[in-house]
Amino acid sequence: MPTPTFIVGQTGTLLKMTENVGTFNSKNAQELASIAKQYGVGLKEHNGDYIDDHILLQHLPLGITATNVAPQFGTEETRAYIELAKVEEELAQDGLIEHKSNIEYVLTLQAIKSERWRKWMVGDQRELQIEDILEQKELTDQILDIAGHYAFNLEEVKAEIQTLFHNLQQCNIDGERFVINRIKRSLNQYVECFNLEGSTTKIMKEIGVEV
């Protein structure tokens, strides 16, 4: 079998909700990275979301070559849509938008229905039924925050996003660009700590694509 690029190892990080509640173990990380290096592969950290810079900056010196991050970026995208929905609502109240989207309600409902949020919850909250959640505004908002991204590809959600973008465009607001930039803010933390500046250009040149 071909040699993998990475093996995944546990460095002590642990993700719950939108917080990394684990305790980073630099000694364990260094030992795992050393073992991986002996076999010509890199160590990829699990649960790399929401890590402070002072820990991320230690990763390369310790030999951690990659970290698994995903929910954090999905949450940032969800939050961007909700921010834009607030803008849309206020512009509608000012009479500048006639038929506003229903993005927040549709995204929230579909996120809850997905039930993908259960793995991020703690204690008895994992067993809650959809009807129970919808009766609790604070919990509903929490689930939207951590699981909204699971509903992005549903047709009803995509339709509301396009309506949102269209309405904002009519008011000279580039909603799509706002969402992209919001995600890039989170990405940049990892780009900086893993010394990845300029990596896209290097990859494009390596595969023979002009930049």
Side-chain angles (χ1 to χ4, degrees):
M1 295 180 65
T3 303
T5 303
F6 305 109
I7 59 169
V8 176
Q10 180 55 262
T11 64
T13 55
L14 179 62
L15 186 64
K16 290 296 180 184
M17 303 290 282
T18 56
E19 182 180 4
N20 205 305
V21 299
T23 301
F24 180 72
N25 188 322
S26 59
K27 184 175 184 296
N28 186 56
Q30 193 170 26
E31 290 177 356
L32 287 174
S34 178
I35 294 171
K37 188 175 182 179
Q38 292 175 27
Y39 292 92
V41 297
L43 172 65
K44 183 179 182 182
E45 174 183 60
H46 192 48
N47 284 335
D49 308 76
Y50 305 108
I51 297 178
D52 290 338
D53 284 344
H54 80 277
I55 294 177
L56 272 181
L57 285 167
Q58 299 175 47
H59 280 33
L60 286 183
L62 292 172
I64 301 172
T65 52
T67 186
N68 188 24
V69 187
Q72 179 177 347
F73 304 143
T75 292
E76 286 302 322
E77 185 171 352
T78 297
R79 290 175 179 176
Y81 290 131
I82 299 308
E83 283 297 309
L84 291 175
K86 293 177 182 177
V87 174
E88 183 190 37
E89 174 66 35
E90 294 191 11
L91 291 175
Q93 291 178 7
D94 292 334
L96 298 175
I97 291 175
E98 186 175 355
H99 301 293
K100 68 184 185 67
S101 71
N102 202 18
I103 179 62
E104 184 169 2
Y105 173 78
V106 172
L107 185 56
T108 300
L109 183 61
Q110 295 303 325
I112 294 172
K113 283 185 174 181
S114 75
E115 301 199 46
R116 302 284 294 276
W117 44 268
R118 293 192 186 277
K119 65 180 178 179
W120 307 116
M121 305 301 279
V122 294
D124 294 339
Q125 288 182 327
R126 291 195 187 99
E127 308 304 321
L128 287 171
Q129 299 302 306
I130 293 174
E131 296 77 14
D132 300 326
I133 295 167
L134 290 172
E135 293 176 355
Q136 304 179 52
K137 179 66 167 62
E138 183 176 349
L139 184 57
T140 295
D141 290 343
Q142 288 178 342
I143 289 177
L144 171 62
D145 206 37
I146 63 175
H149 58 283
Y150 291 118
F152 288 161
N153 282 326
L154 296 177
E155 291 303 321
E156 52 266 57
V157 174
K158 290 195 289 187
E160 295 299 332
I161 291 173
Q162 290 308 309
T163 299
L164 172 68
F165 286 166
H166 173 76
N167 286 339
L168 294 174
Q169 189 65 52
Q170 301 307 304
C171 297
N172 297 315
I173 296 174
D174 190 339
E176 186 172 8
R177 174 51 53 188
F178 176 82
V179 173
I180 291 170
N181 287 342
R182 182 72 177 256
I183 298 170
K184 285 173 66 176
R185 293 177 204 169
S186 290
L187 282 168
N188 281 338
Q189 178 189 18
Y190 297 88
V191 169
E192 291 170 358
C193 291
F194 276 95
N195 292 336
L196 295 174
E197 292 90 344
S199 58
T200 301
T201 300
K202 293 176 183 177
I203 292 171
M204 298 293 276
K205 287 182 178 179
E206 186 69 24
I207 63 177
V209 178
E210 293 187 9
V211 293

